[in-house]
Amino acid sequence: MPTPPENRELSPYTGWTRAHWEAAADELLLAVRPYASPRHGLIDLPGPRPSWSGIRSDGLEGYARTFLLAALRVAGARGDDPHGHLARYAVGLAAGTEAPGDDTDPDSWPRPTDVRQAIVESASVALGLRLTRPWLWDALDDRTRQRAADWLLPALDPSPVDNNWWLFGLTVAGFLQDAGIETDRAAATIDRSLDRIEQWYLGEGWYSDGDNRAFDHYNAWALHFYPVLHAHLAGDRALLDRHGPRLHAHLDAYTRLFDANGAPLPFGRSLTYRFAAAAAPWLGALTGHTPLTPGTTRRLASGALRYFLDRGAADSRGLLTLGWHGPYEPVLQSYSGPGSPYWASKGFLGLLLPAGHPAWTDPEQPLPAENADAVTPLPAPGLLVQSTAADGLVRLHNHGSNHVSSHQAGEDDSGYARHAYSTRTGPTSSPEAADNHFALLIDGKVTRRGPAVPLGAGPGWAASRHTPLPGVHVLSATLAHGRAEVRAHLVTGAPEGTAVRQTGWATTPGGPTAQLHPVHGYPQDAETVPLATGATLQGPDSRTAALHGTTHGPETLFVALASLTAEPDPAPVSTLAHVQVDGRTLRVTWQNGTTSQLALDPEDL
């Protein structure tokens, strides 16, 4: 397909217009066609391994997630479908639901009652049907509609997984309500699902993804996406008035996590969904609940889409790979299969906006990370966002998020347990040394961070506590200004002379410059030790600096300065801040003369 010409007058940052989005959607959809089963019920994409749900479920995933993309493409064009996308998915719907659970049928779908991953995919099927109802569902014969409804109905039962999965039933229920099927049961499912996620809402636009403190992209592409989109499609003003302002509040922080180069911040799990990160900003524009101007919304979304497509997210066959830029297995989960990356389809939500909407017609405007240096505390999730306008680089200091399965035993999850993440570095993966990590070294083994207990976040700082060993506690704090970071760790309860290690940013060749400098608690002659830390999602051959020290007395405070910058020939980080330590209190004078102070006492934070 010919590539539309760039328009640098309308889109000075990315050059992309709505035509580029439509062309990208068509190219992705046409590329998967050769992998469809005989009657298009399954799309069996090639990949390095199946998911834990098996190849039949993976084939359904390939169908469902690309169907969502087709639905957004055709609904956004008000039914215009020059490539015949919907006709193929209509045939596949009929074939997949004709004999569900029959493994001898090359097109049949697994039943949601047998394979719980099918519940996840039922949400994409239902949303696709809801968006394209006039052109697909209403054109089906009654028998096919009944079989499809029967396949969807188990999703109305209580969720088998107690996290964002509750919203898959909500999404199925929204479609069934519209279609006049089991409307009372559907209404009960919607109420039950919304009641459950309400228990995880912590304010400021942030939900925990389950009972544990799990904060990541799922806030944007699930916990806000499904309720707000449902309210919009249902015309439920009361529900939109309740959840829309939450989306607005979330976007105020979330959109600060996008780099000037278009990259969303890789933090959490399911990173292979890539430009699904643009879904929530588009949803804000669609519903009017957004702090972004229309031109900034498109600049963010087009930047994210281009970031991945320009860096090899689609292979030579046009297929989205399991990874970040290209294939990269460490970002995958056991539930990731060859069709999983196509949840990136959510990022095409902006196609539902009319072509004349200001988000498509206004000139692009800069992202928050491009406007000015900023350090933004997020007390609810316990995070601190740091960005610098000179290079557009974004860093996230984590003092409150844990994986949904965090517990005291086992390895740290590299997507959640680091003290810091950025749009252009790491994280490193086991067995390599962990980047942005503070640990005790016991008999040569490095302690894990484990679940972080947030202790607060305020102007320019955030703090947390973790327990690396029974009876040993580490109170950690980050203070930030410009590109400078003060990293402090108060260790209590460790035996005299226990070795500790602080690591910095994991950078790859051609990437930004990382610096790490001892300030207090480390030996006076301490020097950083470069560690070879292997490949990261940014590329091969990463290097990570490390500082080493030892504990003294019942408590020891370790303080270091760190920096990450893409500026050429950066000044030493030691020139960016002067740190005075008085007992447990830090007094920092930044390069511009402003000051910060923080007492590292849990009772004072």
Side-chain angles (χ1 to χ4, degrees):
M1 293 179 60
T3 302
E6 290 190 354
N7 185 335
R8 289 288 171 176
E9 182 176 349
L10 180 63
S11 302
Y13 292 90
T14 71
W16 275 29
T17 64
R18 183 185 177 94
H20 291 87
W21 281 82
E22 293 172 337
D26 287 334
E27 289 174 3
L28 289 170
L29 288 166
L30 293 172
V32 304
R33 286 189 177 183
Y35 304 95
S37 56
R39 291 184 293 156
H40 315 320
L42 303 173
I43 296 181
D44 295 306
L45 297 168
R49 58 168 177 77
S51 74
W52 64 1
S53 298
I55 58 174
R56 181 71 60 153
S57 175
D58 292 346
L60 168 62
E61 186 174 68
Y63 172 94
R65 299 186 182 195
T66 59
F67 174 43
L68 177 58
L69 177 57
L72 290 167
R73 172 70 176 96
V74 176
R78 305 303 184 263
D80 185 30
D81 188 7
H83 295 284
H85 296 311
L86 287 194
R88 293 178 63 89
Y89 285 97
V91 171
L93 178 74
T97 59
E98 183 175 324
D102 182 358
D103 290 342
T104 66
D105 183 335
D107 288 278
S108 71
W109 293 355
R111 288 187 292 256
T113 51
D114 298 334
V115 179
R116 71 180 191 180
Q117 181 65 29
I119 295 173
V120 181
E121 307 318 319
S122 72
S124 292
V125 173
L127 183 54
L129 292 173
R130 192 176 193 182
L131 293 171
T132 61
R133 185 179 167 191
W135 311 289
L136 197 162
W137 181 261
D138 289 349
L140 295 174
D141 61 84
D142 290 342
R143 185 166 174 266
T144 300
R145 282 199 294 262
Q146 185 60 57
R147 290 201 309 260
D150 289 343
W151 184 83
L152 288 168
L153 282 170
L156 299 186
D157 293 337
S159 173
V161 181
D162 197 24
N163 62 0
N164 69 82
W165 277 46
W166 286 94
L167 298 175
F168 303 141
L170 175 146
T171 303
V172 172
F175 165 67
L176 294 176
Q177 268 194 332
D178 281 0
I181 299 169
E182 295 275 6
T183 54
D184 289 344
R185 185 179 169 195
T189 295
I190 292 170
D191 290 343
R192 181 174 61 237
S193 301
L194 293 174
D195 287 346
R196 185 62 182 128
I197 68 165
E198 188 68 22
Q199 298 173 54
W200 300 324
Y201 185 65
L202 301 181
E204 302 171 16
W206 287 90
Y207 293 87
S208 176
D209 188 12
D211 286 334
N212 200 352
R213 294 180 55 85
F215 305 103
D216 56 23
H217 291 293
Y218 273 88
N219 263 267
W221 66 43
L223 292 158
H224 287 285
F225 179 85
Y226 291 114
V228 176
L229 184 56
H230 164 70
H232 172 74
L233 295 176
D236 189 332
R237 175 53 56 184
L239 188 60
L240 192 58
D241 287 346
R242 178 183 176 188
H243 286 270
R246 294 181 180 183
L247 172 64
H248 186 290
H250 182 68
L251 290 175
D252 190 53
Y254 178 71
T255 52
R256 296 179 181 276
L257 300 178
F258 287 77
D259 193 295
N261 66 14
L265 195 136
F267 173 53
R269 68 193 191 283
S270 299
L271 297 181
T272 197
Y273 302 160
R274 296 181 173 104
F275 42 85
W282 279 131
L283 183 59
L286 184 67
T287 62
H289 291 282
T290 179
L292 299 179
T293 66
T296 303
T297 299
R298 187 175 80 258
R299 187 267 181 274
L300 182 154
S302 293
L305 181 58
R306 284 209 68 169
Y307 175 81
F308 289 108
L309 295 184
D310 289 350
R311 287 167 175 78
D315 65 17
S316 59
R317 298 162 295 188
L319 303 177
L320 293 179
T321 58
L322 283 161
W324 183 248
H325 295 156
Y328 183 65
E329 188 169 354
V331 302
L332 307 181
Q333 282 71 44
S334 54
Y335 54 76
S336 303
S340 296
Y342 285 87
W343 241 0
S345 300
K346 293 180 178 182
F348 284 81
L349 187 70
L351 291 178
L352 294 184
L353 295 166
H357 190 281
W360 292 117
T361 60
D362 282 6
E364 286 181 342
Q365 294 181 304
L367 296 174
E370 296 172 296
N371 283 322
D373 290 0
V375 179
T376 306
L378 306 176
L383 307 175
L384 187 70
V385 182
Q386 177 189 16
S387 61
T388 41
D391 53 11
L393 202 156
V394 179
R395 313 139 187 90
L396 178 71
H397 302 283
N398 173 25
H399 289 277
S401 181
N402 301 306
H403 187 268
V404 290
S405 61
S406 286
H407 50 80
Q408 295 294 341
E411 290 189 358
D412 282 329
D413 187 315
S414 62
Y416 291 87
R418 302 291 194 260
H419 279 92
Y421 297 83
S422 92
T423 47
R424 303 191 201 178
T425 65
T428 60
S429 300
S430 180
E432 306 295 349
D435 61 314
N436 293 317
H437 187 244
F438 182 84
L440 280 60
L441 278 64
I442 308 296
D443 297 328
K445 295 183 178 180
V446 178
T447 58
R448 66 191 296 266
R449 186 184 187 191
V453 178
L455 298 177
W461 67 273
S464 60
R465 182 181 66 249
H466 69 277
T467 304
L469 294 170
V472 180
H473 303 285
V474 179
L475 191 162
S476 301
T478 304
L479 296 89
H481 183 277
R483 67 175 172 92
E485 312 158 29
V486 176
R487 300 183 176 189
H489 305 278
L490 180 67
V491 180
T492 60
E496 177 79 15
T498 299
V500 302
R501 185 182 74 185
Q502 167 75 75
T503 56
W505 297 100
T507 59
T508 48
T513 299
Q515 299 173 342
L516 186 64
H517 178 75
V519 171
H520 179 84
Y522 301 98
Q524 291 185 352
D525 58 351
E527 295 184 358
T528 58
V529 177
L531 304 176
T533 44
T536 72
L537 49 75
Q538 300 293 343
D541 303 323
S542 73
R543 294 292 185 272
T544 304
L547 277 172
H548 293 83
T550 56
T551 61
H552 301 283
E555 65 177 42
T556 309
L557 177 59
F558 297 92
V559 183
L561 276 165
S563 166
L564 180 71
T565 181
E567 295 182 53
D569 301 318
V573 67
S574 58
T575 68
L576 303 183
H578 175 67
V579 183
Q580 292 179 295
V581 179
D582 183 7
R584 294 178 170 180
T585 300
L586 305 177
R587 295 183 177 89
V588 185
T589 302
W590 305 105
Q591 190 178 42
N592 68 350
T594 60
T595 60
S596 301
Q597 180 171 308
L598 188 65
L600 300 183
D601 188 330
E603 296 180 0
D604 295 333
L605 290 173

